[in-house]
Amino acid sequence: MVRRIIEIDREKCNGCGACASACLEGAIGMVDGKAALLRDDYCDGLGNCLPACPTGAITFVEREAAAYDEAAVLAKKAEALRSSVPAQSSPSGGCPGSRMQALRPAEGSAPAAADSAPMSSLRQWPVQIKLLPVEAPFFQGAKLLIAADCTAYARADFHQRFMRGRITLIGCPKLDEGDYTEKLTEILRRNDIRELTVVRMEVPCCGGIQRAAENALRQSGKFIPWQVVTLGRDGNILE
């Protein structure tokens, strides 16, 4: 079948291994110090690896390729868990800046002293929609917050009011290329998401992040409770 799949330019690849770390399906590995697509049927064509590559060595192409085999990928992950080797790990370690990590802050911590910074409510890394994998342990049973980049700067209590107890995904449809719909659809489809909150600014360009979330909800085929909160430029919640 002809489908969208990644292609790696070995001349541009610097061998950092960031793409192999970002590919949770295990489709990419390191061969002779360079990244390589190991199996077509492990590549889902969503491109988590693209933003992780610092040299732009990875692109999408349309070519004859085996269909994505989700069952084979899941079986590989199960085998990796049984042998206590993370399926998304790579020999080179990958780029620390985009490596997936659950932070799990204490939800019931005491208030911070007056001379110290309040505790962050961020529960995972990364947070950018473009960098997040479509499957991760922290998504299971999660409440999702999809927030426009500017919202956290508009409201001082953003961590406590919106991020606390939620997995945070941020983006700006005006600055990022492409649409978030496909990525968000796969996150909702592949994980047990309990509820979804979208926080946007009142400005028109923020409509893109709301539309992507709404389209993803429809395309996921799931019924998930959701809400949209709109902030004014002064940080007030608009009715």
Side-chain angles (χ1 to χ4, degrees), residues 60-230:
F60 279 126
V61 295
E62 295 277 343
R63 66 167 173 83
E64 187 74 28
Y68 172 59
D69 189 343
E70 185 176 12
V73 170
L74 292 175
K76 180 187 176 186
K77 289 180 180 180
E79 178 60 31
L81 288 173
R82 284 194 292 271
S83 59
S84 300
V85 178
Q88 71 271 19
S89 65
S90 70
S92 60
C95 172
S98 60
R99 190 174 301 148
M100 186 177 66
Q101 182 181 4
L103 303 179
R104 306 179 186 277
E107 295 296 337
S109 1
D115 60 347
S116 65
M119 179 174 287
S120 169
S121 293
L122 186 62
R123 298 173 61 86
Q124 96 290 339
W125 187 265
V127 295
Q128 289 284 348
I129 296 172
K130 291 287 187 176
L131 296 179
L132 277 157
V134 294
E135 289 181 281
F138 49 70
F139 282 138
Q140 298 307 317
K143 301 177 181 179
L144 289 193
L145 168 66
I146 300 176
D149 284 349
C150 300
T151 53
Y153 296 96
R155 193 172 179 92
D157 66 347
F158 193 84
H159 276 246
Q160 291 73 32
R161 187 175 187 108
F162 297 111
M163 290 174 59
R164 190 173 180 84
R166 295 186 173 100
I167 294 299
T168 303
L169 293 73
I170 65 172
C172 176
K174 191 166 186 177
L175 298 179
D176 283 338
E177 292 184 7
D179 183 17
Y180 300 131
T181 299
E182 187 175 9
K183 184 77 166 284
L184 295 176
T185 298
E186 290 305 310
I187 289 174
L188 297 179
R189 181 179 291 155
R190 299 191 190 192
N191 301 282
D192 176 25
I193 304 300
R194 293 168 52 196
E195 65 177 55
L196 173 63
T197 297
V198 178
V199 181
R200 55 164 292 183
M201 299 298 295
E202 62 177 327
V203 296
C205 56
C206 267
I209 203 164
Q210 179 177 342
R211 284 192 298 274
E214 291 172 347
N215 290 337
L217 278 167
R218 284 193 292 269
Q219 294 177 22
S220 72
K222 293 183 176 181
F223 176 78
I224 300 173
W226 67 289
Q227 63 173 330
V228 176
V229 179
T230 303

Side-chain angles (χ1 to χ4, degrees), residues 8 10 13-22 26-38 58 76 88-95:
I8 302 172
R10 288 180 63 83
C13 176
N14 65 2
C16 71
C19 58
S21 293
I28 300 175
M30 306 304 293
V31 178
D32 297 328
K34 298 280 189 174
L37 178 59
L38 302 179
I58 306 176
K76 180 187 176 186
Q88 71 271 19
S89 65
S90 70
S92 60
C95 172

